[in-house]
Amino acid sequence: MFGGSSRFSGSSESSAPNRRAEPVQRLLFGGVYGTVLASAMAAALAQDGGVSNPGYDALWVLLAALASAAAHGYAHAIAHRTADPTTVAASTARSVLTEWPLVAAVLPTVAALLGAHARWWGEEPAIEVVLLLNTATLFGWGLSAARVAGRSWAAACRVGGVDMLLGLFIVGANTLSK
């Protein structure tokens, strides 16, 4: 899916490769951010000690992701704001909407919690599966990001492994805190 750096290089003007690379960078950023966010929230859910309410928990995870995406998009728009006040609202809305990968990355967690709400499985097994899935997903995001950056497959696997360790850290912290 993602190739080496030659994909973004060429003889055209120097800013063109950066513009072409930005959607891939946003996808990777949002995917990693959303996956880590979903993992951290799932680990917190396992520790809340209250009555299990996976439907509410699914809504909580989704709303947190939407709020994070909106806040990040808004901050990005402010950081790149120009002196032209006529395009501020449109550029801000466009910046917020480009944060969709962050929201998409939490959807497996939301789906697992909704499955628990439908009583297809319990909330605790759903959280355990999601934490493992998200850990593997972090490996994939790291691998993809390294390949986009032009790294070899071996180096990309090492980067993916380090990213996966972040996921394992979250799972480990969840297990140790029980």
Side-chain angles (χ1 to χ4, degrees):
M1 179 173 169
F2 301 115
S5 63
S6 62
R7 178 178 173 169
F8 299 115
S9 62
S11 60
S12 61
E13 65 183 79
S14 63
S15 64
N18 292 336
R19 284 184 301 205
R20 289 173 50 202
E22 186 174 340
V24 173
Q25 291 167 346
R26 283 188 181 255
L27 172 71
L28 293 169
F29 175 86
V32 169
Y33 190 101
T35 303
V36 171
L37 178 67
S39 296
M41 290 191 305
L45 288 174
Q47 302 308 314
D48 71 359
V51 175
S52 177
N53 188 347
Y56 174 81
D57 294 342
L59 181 62
W60 179 68
V61 169
L62 183 60
L63 289 177
L66 288 169
S68 295
H72 186 266
Y74 182 65
H76 188 75
I78 288 173
H80 294 90
R81 186 164 284 161
T82 63
D84 183 9
T86 60
T87 63
V88 169
S91 68
T92 300
R94 189 171 35 257
S95 183
V96 168
L97 290 174
T98 61
E99 298 301 323
W100 68 265
L102 190 158
V103 177
V106 304
L107 293 180
T109 302
V110 171
L113 290 169
L114 289 176
H117 179 71
R119 301 190 193 281
W120 294 342
W121 46 73
E123 184 174 21
E124 189 173 321
I127 290 172
E128 290 172 3
V129 167
V130 160
L131 289 173
L132 291 174
L133 175 67
N134 287 352
T135 299
T137 301
L138 286 171
F139 174 83
W141 286 124
L143 178 84
S144 297
R147 291 296 295 156
V148 165
R151 305 281 170 106
S152 69
W153 279 103
C157 285
R158 285 191 300 273
V159 169
V162 169
D163 288 353
M164 189 174 70
L165 288 175
L166 175 62
L168 290 174
F169 174 77
I170 292 168
V171 171
N174 176 41
T175 303
L176 290 174
S177 64
K178 282 190 175 184

